[in-house]
Amino acid sequence: MRFLCLHGRGTTAKIFEMQTARICQALGRDHQFVFANGNIPTQPDAGAATISDEYFGYVGNTVPEYEDLYNDLLDIVNNQGPFDGLMGFSEGGAVAAWMLIENSKYPFTFGRFKCAIFFSAAVPFDPDVVRTGIVKPVDPVIEGEMIKIPTAHIWSSENDVNAGAAQSLASLCDARVQETFVHTLGHNVPGSKSDSEALAGALRIIERTIERARD
């Protein structure tokens, strides 16, 4: 399977590639991972300045910035796709969910995704609401399960700024085909820090999600 991979705010595609290196290696050569930079320069996230001298995000504060993001993502899908799955961390996870919500309303806008993997992901914005000129997160209580493909949701119970948001995002996804795993590594991707138990737990649900997508 081919995955489009979207990084956290204040980092880069290369940093996300480093953060997920052990996971990608463990999943094996049957899969390809394409890492894409955000389009908005930002301040560095914690630790990013020691790795890179430029840092990006995907999400802006204005409707035109969302229109630019939409077009940039279409370009990536059209020029580097097709993709079978999405993998996103923090803000990148929110953008991945945003793409899936758009697909649920307007089928195959971003291609035929079969699964998604979310690490400490933020809550996405509703693309239809953004088109009205309002930048507002989706409310899972109101909208319910908008994402119907198999999903894996991974976050931390300790020191994770997106713990609540990650659970809200899970509520937007079909409970019948979702997997969750909660670790204690803070706002990090399992495998980016030395913790074999967290890595094994994350891999377990990712592999189950991929198998569901293949059924």
Side-chain angles (χ1 to χ4, degrees), residues 158-172:
E158 299 179 11
N159 302 316
D160 190 340
V161 295
N162 280 346
Q167 294 173 68
S168 293
L169 174 56
S171 299
L172 288 168

Side-chain angles (χ1 to χ4, degrees), residues 128-139:
D128 277 349
V129 176
V130 172
R131 290 185 184 99
T132 70
I134 301 171
V135 179
K136 181 181 178 182
V138 175
D139 186 340

Side-chain angles (χ1 to χ4, degrees), residues 23-34:
I23 286 175
C24 295
Q25 182 179 23
L27 290 175
R29 295 183 179 180
D30 289 343
H31 307 292
Q32 295 180 352
F33 302 90
V34 177

Side-chain angles (χ1 to χ4, degrees), residues 6-206:
L6 306 176
H7 61 81
R9 190 174 187 84
T11 64
T12 64
K14 183 62 179 178
I15 290 174
F16 191 35
E17 186 174 359
M18 295 168 63
Q19 291 171 322
T20 57
R22 293 177 69 189
I23 286 175
C24 295
Q25 182 179 23
L27 290 175
R29 295 183 179 180
D30 289 343
H31 307 292
Q32 295 180 352
F33 302 90
V34 177
F35 294 82
N37 271 327
N39 58 345
I40 298 176
T42 68
Q43 293 298 309
D45 193 20
T50 63
I51 301 172
S52 176
D53 57 2
E54 56 181 5
Y55 327 97
F56 300 100
Y58 300 96
V59 176
N61 298 313
T62 67
V63 172
E65 286 175 314
Y66 275 89
E67 292 172 348
D68 289 342
L69 171 60
Y70 184 92
N71 292 325
D72 286 346
L73 291 170
L74 280 178
D75 286 343
I76 292 170
V77 169
N78 290 332
N79 295 326
Q80 300 184 56
F83 298 102
D84 303 296
L86 289 161
M87 182 167 70
F89 172 53
S90 195
E91 183 178 279
V95 173
W98 183 62
M99 294 172 72
L100 294 175
I101 291 172
E102 179 76 355
N103 266 13
S104 73
K105 296 185 175 187
Y106 309 100
F108 314 128
T109 297
F110 292 109
R112 296 175 179 267
F113 294 117
K114 301 174 183 176
C115 66
I117 303 163
F118 300 107
F119 299 101
S120 298
V123 178
F125 296 95
D126 188 322
D128 277 349
V129 176
V130 172
R131 290 185 184 99
T132 70
I134 301 171
V135 179
K136 181 181 178 182
V138 175
D139 186 340
V141 175
I142 296 173
E143 300 295 343
E145 296 178 347
M146 305 177 75
I147 298 171
K148 300 299 184 181
I149 63 173
T151 55
H153 303 262
I154 300 157
W155 70 86
S156 175
S157 61
E158 299 179 11
N159 302 316
D160 190 340
V161 295
N162 280 346
Q167 294 173 68
S168 293
L169 174 56
S171 299
L172 288 168
C173 300
D174 190 336
R176 297 169 299 177
V177 289
Q178 83 169 242
E179 300 281 346
T180 62
F181 175 72
V182 181
H183 56 82
T184 58
L185 300 177
H187 194 62
N188 292 288
V189 177
S192 59
K193 290 189 172 183
S194 296
D195 188 313
S196 57
E197 184 178 345
L199 177 61
L203 281 170
R204 186 166 56 251
I205 72 161
I206 291 170

